[in-house]
Amino acid sequence: ANIDFDKIKRLQEYRRMATYSYLADALDEICDESIVRDDYGKIITLTIDESYSKMIQDEIQKEWENYIGNFQLEDKGWSYVRQLLIDGELFFENVISEQHPEYGIVGVVQIPSELINPFYKNVQNDIIEGFSLRKPALDKRTQKLDKEELIILQKNQVTYIHSGMWNEDRTIRLPYIENSRRAYKQLSLIEDSIVIYRLVRAPERLAFHVDVGNMSPPKAESYIK
């Protein structure tokens, strides 16, 4: 089937696929294997080249712990992996303190994948120029969606994680679940057709038993007729 170019509809289809029992079990198993605690109770560790001095290693390790804390991988890592498998993209807005910008990134806020798109300076080399965010604006009186405001974000304002997969003309970023879409559609269509077939053919599946006793085959056939 052709891929829908409307990102919202495309993601809705992938998310419907993820609720299908076979796919849901497979996704859960992959996520369970991705987030596993080691003997020290950590789900991810950093290996630093020993050629660096002790001071540099300690500083890198300190920044690594800040990174783990900002993304809350201990609590949200499982859901991040699952969303990456289904949506194919993760977007986080980097939060920086206005009073103390020297602290760097002090936190991240996840952005829904359907509301933001990267635009590229060079698609072939994956050089991102920035991001366009569609911010829904609600009517204060009715509290319903009134319009959408387009906001341009600089590339250093957003942490962008993707699957690394493109469609054939490199216009759509594909998720890992795309590889199962054909099989999912075929299986769902077969299941629906089996139900219809069994309902339509049900009267023809009735069996009638006629007792012919010890009649010879020709007599038994004429008796049945």
Side-chain angles (χ1 to χ4, degrees):
N2 294 327
I3 300 173
D4 199 325
F5 283 89
D6 189 331
K7 188 175 184 179
I8 296 178
K9 294 181 179 179
R10 186 171 69 251
L11 292 181
Q12 287 176 346
E13 181 182 4
Y14 288 138
R15 291 166 185 173
R16 280 195 299 268
M17 288 174 54
T19 61
Y20 190 66
S21 58
Y22 295 108
L23 280 174
D25 292 341
L27 290 172
D28 291 344
E29 187 173 345
I30 293 172
C31 295
D32 291 341
E33 293 295 328
S34 300
I35 306 298
V36 179
R37 295 185 182 276
D38 59 12
D39 296 336
Y40 302 99
K42 295 184 177 181
I43 62 172
I44 186 170
T45 55
L46 177 66
T47 302
I48 306 175
D49 192 346
E50 295 183 356
S51 61
Y52 294 110
S53 64
K54 183 67 168 60
M55 184 179 67
I56 294 178
Q57 290 186 25
D58 292 342
E59 192 66 27
I60 294 175
Q61 188 64 39
K62 178 182 175 182
E63 292 299 324
W64 173 255
E65 296 298 333
N66 291 336
Y67 165 78
I68 298 295
N70 289 339
F71 286 91
Q72 301 179 19
L73 294 182
E74 294 280 348
D75 301 324
K76 299 182 179 180
W78 193 93
S79 61
Y80 289 159
V81 173
R82 202 174 198 279
Q83 183 178 347
L84 183 62
L85 293 173
I86 299 171
D87 293 352
E89 294 176 315
L90 290 175
F91 297 90
F92 299 90
E93 182 181 2
N94 302 324
V95 179
I96 299 176
S97 173
E98 293 183 358
Q99 290 77 17
H100 300 281
E102 68 275 5
Y103 291 167
I105 300 174
V106 296
V108 293
V109 177
Q110 189 169 6
I111 304 174
S113 302
E114 60 269 20
L115 298 181
I116 185 171
N117 285 302
F119 51 91
Y120 291 84
K121 188 174 184 179
N122 188 336
V123 178
Q124 300 300 325
N125 296 330
D126 284 348
I127 299 177
I128 296 177
E129 194 168 2
F131 298 87
S132 59
L133 173 64
R134 293 183 291 106
K135 183 179 179 181
L138 297 178
D139 190 332
K140 295 181 179 179
R141 185 173 56 86
T142 61
Q143 292 300 311
K144 293 183 179 180
L145 183 62
D146 183 23
K147 58 181 180 179
E148 289 184 341
E149 180 183 357
L150 185 63
I151 301 175
I152 302 300
L153 301 176
Q154 300 297 322
K155 62 179 181 179
N156 56 0
Q157 289 181 259
V158 178
T159 298
Y160 177 40
I161 305 168
H162 56 76
S163 64
M165 298 169 55
W166 289 99
N167 63 339
E168 61 275 4
D169 53 359
R170 296 179 71 87
T171 56
I172 297 176
R173 185 70 74 176
L174 299 177
Y176 296 104
I177 201 174
E178 168 64 25
N179 295 326
S180 62
R181 190 157 69 97
R182 181 180 177 86
Y184 157 77
K185 284 186 172 293
Q186 290 177 336
L187 183 58
S188 59
L189 289 174
I190 289 173
E191 289 178 344
D192 293 341
S193 62
I194 286 175
V195 173
I196 297 172
Y197 172 82
R198 288 177 177 174
L199 289 173
V200 172
R201 297 292 297 258
E204 299 182 21
R205 299 176 68 88
L206 297 177
F208 298 92
H209 178 72
V210 180
D211 190 5
V212 296
N214 294 325
M215 294 182 184
S216 61
K219 289 185 178 180
E221 186 177 352
S222 62
Y223 177 73
I224 291 173
K225 289 180 180 179

